[in-house]
């Protein structure tokens, strides 16, 4: 037998041993979901955009200042899904799909497909160049699914996926970096009424979520669009609102959320064996912003990482930005994204909240179904 053949056999044997160890850990772990598959935008991107040509990146300081350094996460620390994974006892953080670490037995514990700038509609985020929209994220998941089948077989793969958590955090960019893009979208806003635009999002989302189900997902958390009119970026773009949130972006977000909640009910009824959970992040974040002092924050409107603007929202966070000394006192890390401290509150309410925050059951209950 040649030296190359010996080496290939050793590699194959080591891979098989590692796979068995991962499977045994999954089988004997109590109250731990076997895997966590994450789809979404920059709110949950763990570094996929580091590997593509995109203007939407966060792999530079001061991002990650409380995480040990920049990783591609668009915040000072952890994302919501990072925190939920920790709370549920998952080992480490779910790796980004495009990272070298997202290979081999690691895929059995879940992958993060999220991409900054991504949206439900495929033309969303054009201004950034590269980004991975939801359809492309589903393509990537299909590749992962095939890898898992090749490793443990069809039957075991279906069982694994049916027990795993799937989360989808999509829609914000379809408004912020599509329908409301300054100057670029002015013509579209004249030609396409808000109701028509929202209807196109919902129609596409229905197809995408149904495809996710057809690929084996059963426990699916769908996060609604937050109060985008309250982010520092939108506040600075709409100075006539004064110290209030910009009303029009929030109105469209609420219009979408109403339709999304109806869609979630419809899918749960029509797709046998599915449990779709509606996560009302709009309600949670709005509550945090309106009552920020009660949550221990000093600011519910200003970006901790800022350069210009009355709310620090005009220029994205970067190496030349100023950074607040105590990030835990700010709801917003930068012009668009929550801080680690805000993400902790959001994650814990989604994990253990009542049906006003997360419907029909919370994430901890979903994990144990």
């Amino acid at each position: 037998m040649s030296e190359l053949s010996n080496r290939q056999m050793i590699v194959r044997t080591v891979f098989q041993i590692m796979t068995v160890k991962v499977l045994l850990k999954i089988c004997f772990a109590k109250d731990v979901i076997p895997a966590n598959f994450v789809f979404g935008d920059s709110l949950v991107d763990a570094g996929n955009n580091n590997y593509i040509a995109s203007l939407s990146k966060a792999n530079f300081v001061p991002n990650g200042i409380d995480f040990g350094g920049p990783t591609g996460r668009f915040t000072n620390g952890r994302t919501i899904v990072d925190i939920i994974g920790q709370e549920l006892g998952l080992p480490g953080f779910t790796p980004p799909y495009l990272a070298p670490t997202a290979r081999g037995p690691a895929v059995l514990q879940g992958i993060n497909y999220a991409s900054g700038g991504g949206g439900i509609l495929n033309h969303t985020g054009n201004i950034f160049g590269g980004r991975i929209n939801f359809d492309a994220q589903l393509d990537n998941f299909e590749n992962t699914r095939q890898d898992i089948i090749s490793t443990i077989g069809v039957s075991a793969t279906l069982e694994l996926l049916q027990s795993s958590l799937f989360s989808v955090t999509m829609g914000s960019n379809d408004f912020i970096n599509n329908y409301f893009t300054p100057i670029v979208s002015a013509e579209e806003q004249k030609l396409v009424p808000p109701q028509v635009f929202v209807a196109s999002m919902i129609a596409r989302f229905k197809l995408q979520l149904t495809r996710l189900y057809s690929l084996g997902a059963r426990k699916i958390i769908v996060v609604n669009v937050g109060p985008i009119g309250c982010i520092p970026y939108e506040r600075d773009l709409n100075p006539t609102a004064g110290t209030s949130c910009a009303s029009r972006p929030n109105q469209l977000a609420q219009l979408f959320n109403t339709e999304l909640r109806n869609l979630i009910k419809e899918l749960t009824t029509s797709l046998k064996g599915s449990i779709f959970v509606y996560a009302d992040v709009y309600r949670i974040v709005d509550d945090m912003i309106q009552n920020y002092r009660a949550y221990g924050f000093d600011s519910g409107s200003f970006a901790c990482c800022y350069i210009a603007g009355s709310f620090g929202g005009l220029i994205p966070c970067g190496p030349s930005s100023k950074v607040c000394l105590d990030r835990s006192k700010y709801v917003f890390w930068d012009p668009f994204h929550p801080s680690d401290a805000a993400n902790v509150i959001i994650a814990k309410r989604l994990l253990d909240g009542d049906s006003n925050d997360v419907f029909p059951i919370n994430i901890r209950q979903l994990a144990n179904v």
Side-chain angles (χ1 to χ4, degrees):
M1 190 178 287
S2 69
E3 185 179 341
L4 179 60
S5 297
N6 281 330
R7 194 178 303 128
Q8 288 173 333
M9 186 175 290
I10 290 169
V11 169
R12 192 179 301 116
T13 302
V14 169
F15 177 82
Q16 289 171 342
I17 290 169
M18 289 173 67
T19 300
V20 169
K21 287 176 76 174
V22 169
L23 287 172
L24 285 172
K25 183 185 283 187
I26 290 170
C27 290
F28 290 105
K30 290 185 178 180
D31 300 324
V32 177
I33 56 169
N36 184 31
F37 295 94
V38 179
F39 302 84
D41 52 31
S42 56
L43 292 169
V44 291
D45 187 350
N48 279 307
N49 278 23
N50 298 351
Y51 302 93
I52 62 175
S54 175
L55 293 176
S56 179
K57 287 182 182 284
N59 57 341
F60 44 76
V61 295
N63 293 299
I65 190 171
D66 299 306
F67 198 83
T71 60
R73 287 169 171 82
F74 290 76
T75 185
N76 60 302
R78 298 160 297 169
T79 67
I80 298 166
V81 292
D82 289 332
I83 297 159
I84 288 173
Q86 287 179 316
E87 288 288 321
L88 292 177
L90 288 173
F93 297 113
T94 304
Y97 174 76
L98 294 177
T101 53
R103 301 290 180 270
V107 301
L108 299 174
Q109 294 175 300
I111 298 294
N112 185 321
Y113 303 91
S115 170
I120 294 168
L121 302 175
N122 285 319
H123 58 284
T124 288
N126 276 337
I127 57 170
F128 298 119
R131 75 275 180 226
I132 310 168
N133 286 320
F134 194 19
D135 280 322
Q137 291 181 31
L138 289 170
D139 292 341
N140 291 338
F141 170 63
E142 197 160 0
N143 293 335
T144 299
R145 181 180 181 272
Q146 194 54 52
D147 289 342
I148 297 173
I149 289 172
S150 300
T151 304
I152 64 175
V154 174
S155 179
T157 298
L158 292 178
E159 190 175 334
L160 173 73
L161 297 180
Q162 287 172 9
S163 302
S164 300
L165 277 190
F166 290 78
S167 62
V168 182
T169 306
M170 281 283 187
S172 296
N173 283 314
D174 295 284
F175 294 112
I176 299 169
N177 295 305
N178 186 337
Y179 196 73
F180 286 127
T181 306
I183 303 171
V184 177
S185 68
E187 198 61 34
E188 182 179 15
Q189 288 185 50
K190 291 177 186 175
L191 297 173
V192 182
Q195 293 84 350
V196 173
F197 183 77
V198 166
S200 71
M201 286 176 65
I202 291 293
R204 189 76 210 159
F205 213 16
K206 180 178 180 179
L207 294 173
Q208 293 163 334
L209 292 173
T210 302
R211 181 184 174 196
L212 183 58
Y213 168 87
S214 72
L215 291 170
R218 292 297 180 268
K219 301 179 180 183
I220 305 170
I221 304 145
V222 183
V223 179
N224 71 2
V225 172
I228 51 177
C230 299
I231 64 175
Y233 169 76
E234 289 293 346
R235 286 180 187 264
D236 274 330
L237 280 189
N238 296 275
T240 55
T243 58
S244 300
C245 300
S247 60
R248 194 153 183 261
N250 278 355
Q251 288 167 0
L252 261 69
Q254 289 173 313
L255 177 63
F256 172 80
N257 291 342
T258 299
E259 295 301 319
L260 177 61
R261 190 178 178 109
N262 293 333
L263 174 62
I264 295 307
K265 290 178 181 176
E266 178 191 333
L267 292 175
T268 299
T269 302
S270 63
L271 300 178
K272 185 180 178 182
S274 69
I275 307 175
F276 281 88
V277 168
Y278 176 80
D280 196 349
V281 166
Y282 187 105
R283 181 178 188 272
I284 297 169
V285 175
D286 186 57
D287 183 37
M288 244 193 305
I289 291 169
Q290 303 306 324
N291 304 290
Y292 65 91
R293 291 201 182 278
Y295 284 95
F297 295 108
D298 289 341
S299 173
S301 59
F302 198 87
C304 167
C305 181
Y306 67 98
I307 296 178
S310 299
F311 298 93
L314 290 180
I315 300 174
C317 179
S320 60
S321 299
K322 297 175 183 177
V323 179
C324 62
L325 291 177
D326 189 352
R327 274 79 63 184
S328 70
K329 296 297 184 183
Y330 284 72
V331 171
F332 291 101
W333 159 243
D334 67 6
F336 306 94
H337 307 97
S339 63
D340 179 281
N343 283 337
V344 167
I345 294 167
I346 298 166
K348 291 192 173 177
R349 283 180 65 169
L350 294 180
L351 273 163
D352 300 308
D354 61 24
S355 59
N356 291 311
D357 287 341
V358 54
F359 178 85
I361 57 176
N362 61 42
I363 292 177
R364 201 179 299 278
Q365 290 167 335
L366 179 66
N368 290 318
V369 168

